[in-house]
Amino acid sequence: MNTRIARRRTLGAGLAALVLTGGLVACGGGEGGSGGAGSGTYTMWDPYPQFDDTSAWVKLLKDCGTKAGVTVKRTGYDTSDLTNKAMLAAQQGNAPDVLIIDNPVVSSLAEAGVLTTTEDVKIDTSAIDTNLLGAGQMDGKTYGVPIGANTLALYYNKDVLKKAGVDIASVKDWPSLNAALAKVKGAGKKGITFSAVGTEEGSFQFLPWFWGSGAALTKMDSPQAVAAVSLWTDWLKKGYAPNSVINNTQTTSWQEFATGDYAFAENGTWQLANAKKAGFDYGIIPIPGVNGGTAPAPTGGEFVTVPVQKQTGRYATSLKLMECLTSTDNLFATDNTLSYVAPTAAVQAKQVAANPDLKVWVDAVKAAKGRTGDNLGTKYPKISEQMWTAVQAALSGKASPQDALTKAQTAAANAQ
């Protein structure tokens, strides 16, 4: 996982505090407000500071502005800085015209009154996968559209599995995965590595197993949730996974897999380039649910949103900019650059045609769900913090899975 995405995973519970202390009422008219609607300068903020003015991304933004008949003034910020600056700009009445923001942040900004709805802007969302759109929905309203998505799956080392006598086609559910890990250990190799670090990154990696058990975030101490935590704790007890997972980030977890000693690694689309450089044959399968099928994994990625403006006539041009950025041709180029799966079936088909390795990722994204979905909104960061705390307690042996999750459910309920 690259640094930009790693930072994006660690927003944590601070979002809720930011919203609660902000008391925001967005009423401004953007930095480009001096220009009339449909003319002048339109501001766009994004979380891609690694792209400079010579990059294809910035050239696309400026080209979209030209096609809309305006000049685009673009600023790239670190993800955490962008959230804070967007909140402050809304307070001061100079929010950007278009804001590209990490999808878990959308509900926080929406609740704070910073964002318009897709109905306000009148953008057509019918072609976008509904599960991806769900990350930007709250109380029946949609705030922006996804520019792309990434998620998690299982990378596997073909040579390690072959020497252990494991047919990857047999790995379809939790029991068959456990059986494969037992064979790998018996063959003298290492089983599986992942990230269980005590941050949002750890929750992000645990969610496929949590949701794959049938558990819901509103009931963290359910039997299904206990089964998910027990799966991970059993892996450590049996030596299928290393104790290092407790502190592993997704980057350090990948580094363990890249040694060639592990059969499996849970990681994301952003590691595809590194996988090709690993020096051994690898494959990818979806994370299995407890009884089979593809477990819902959380979606990563950004939404293109339009902050509230005092001059509502500006929305018509902001719509043109959004439509340009999310057009089929532009999404294909942009999502390949960002290592994202596109949010529409048409572009996904183009991606798979160009790179068949993406097929498993498209399937995983289609089964994925937003962390703030199910109308959790700004409740999610509080739930997530208690979830990663419970997982850490169970993995370290400080509490049983049941006791850790019971405490987590109580703490999350009291925090809301």
Side-chain angles (χ1 to χ4, degrees):
M1 182 182 214
N2 64 37
T3 303
R4 175 176 60 80
I5 299 174
R7 284 195 298 262
R8 195 179 308 151
R9 297 281 181 259
T10 57
L11 290 171
L15 286 177
L18 186 61
V19 173
L20 291 173
T21 58
L24 301 181
V25 179
C27 59
E31 288 181 24
S34 58
S39 66
T41 299
Y42 274 63
T43 51
M44 298 182 69
W45 292 359
D46 66 52
Y48 314 129
Q50 73 273 26
F51 296 133
D52 61 23
D53 288 347
T54 65
S55 66
W57 168 249
V58 176
K59 289 178 180 178
L60 171 61
L61 299 183
K62 293 184 180 300
D63 182 59
C64 286
T66 299
K67 291 177 179 177
V70 298
T71 298
V72 166
K73 180 182 178 183
R74 174 262 181 176
T75 307
Y77 294 103
D78 175 79
T79 298
S80 57
D81 288 340
L82 180 57
T83 303
N84 294 330
K85 289 183 184 300
M87 289 284 196
L88 182 60
Q91 282 182 313
Q92 296 174 340
N94 60 357
D97 291 288
V98 177
L99 174 67
I100 301 174
I101 197 80
D102 192 21
N103 76 63
V105 182
V106 172
S107 58
S108 296
L109 295 180
E111 185 173 274
V114 174
L115 303 179
T116 63
T117 68
T118 52
E119 186 176 340
D120 293 330
V121 181
K122 298 180 172 55
I123 189 167
D124 182 8
T125 62
S126 60
I128 298 173
D129 287 352
T130 54
N131 66 315
L132 300 184
L133 205 59
Q137 293 175 330
M138 188 172 67
D139 297 329
K141 296 181 179 180
T142 304
Y143 299 85
V145 294
I147 199 168
N150 55 31
T151 194
L152 298 164
L154 290 181
Y155 288 83
Y156 63 90
N157 184 316
K158 292 183 179 181
D159 186 56
V160 170
L161 291 184
K162 182 179 180 180
K163 290 179 178 178
V166 174
D167 179 2
I168 192 61
S170 69
V171 180
K172 297 180 178 180
D173 51 24
W174 290 6
S176 57
L177 176 58
N178 283 332
L181 293 173
K183 286 184 177 181
V184 168
K185 183 185 178 186
K189 288 291 187 178
K190 299 176 182 178
I192 186 169
T193 181
F194 51 91
S195 169
V197 67
T199 68
E200 175 61 21
E201 203 164 348
S203 290
F204 188 78
Q205 288 243 315
F206 180 62
L207 277 171
W209 311 97
F210 182 87
W211 283 332
S213 73
L217 288 172
T218 52
K219 185 65 175 174
M220 280 191 289
D221 57 350
S222 68
Q224 294 88 348
V226 173
V229 175
S230 297
L231 179 72
W232 274 19
T233 56
D234 286 348
W235 285 350
L236 266 66
K237 290 176 182 177
K238 295 177 180 178
Y240 297 166
N243 288 328
S244 58
V245 299
I246 297 175
N247 297 312
N248 268 351
T249 64
Q250 293 180 110
T251 299
T252 55
S253 170
W254 180 261
Q255 290 168 349
E256 289 179 336
F257 180 66
T259 64
D261 293 331
Y262 285 84
F264 296 96
E266 180 183 355
N267 230 297
T269 48
W270 52 89
Q271 295 292 7
L272 269 177
N274 287 329
K276 296 179 187 298
K277 301 174 184 176
F280 53 81
D281 287 338
Y282 72 94
I284 305 166
I285 61 171
I287 295 173
V290 59
N291 296 317
T294 300
T299 56
E302 286 81 37
F303 265 57
V304 185
T305 67
V306 174
V308 172
Q309 301 291 338
K310 186 174 182 179
Q311 296 180 4
T312 58
R314 298 180 68 83
Y315 297 156
T317 299
S318 295
L319 170 62
K320 292 179 181 179
L321 296 173
M322 290 181 75
E323 289 176 335
C324 180
L325 291 175
T326 58
S327 69
T328 297
D329 289 342
N330 289 335
L331 274 178
F332 179 73
T334 296
D335 287 336
N336 287 346
T337 297
L338 298 174
S339 295
Y340 283 160
V341 170
T344 67
V347 183
Q348 290 167 1
K350 289 184 66 174
Q351 288 182 302
V352 173
N355 181 3
D357 288 348
L358 289 176
K359 177 63 169 61
V360 67
W361 293 110
V362 169
D363 292 342
V365 163
K366 285 185 176 296
K369 61 188 293 184
R371 285 163 279 175
T372 58
D374 300 326
N375 213 39
L376 289 178
T378 55
K379 295 178 183 178
Y380 172 75
K382 303 169 188 175
I383 294 171
S384 177
E385 182 178 9
Q386 296 306 323
M387 182 165 62
W388 81 58
T389 300
V391 170
Q392 286 259 305
L395 291 179
S396 64
K398 293 179 180 178
S400 68
Q402 180 67 72
D403 289 345
L405 288 170
T406 297
K407 182 178 180 180
Q409 177 62 31
T410 300
N414 290 338
Q416 294 171 20

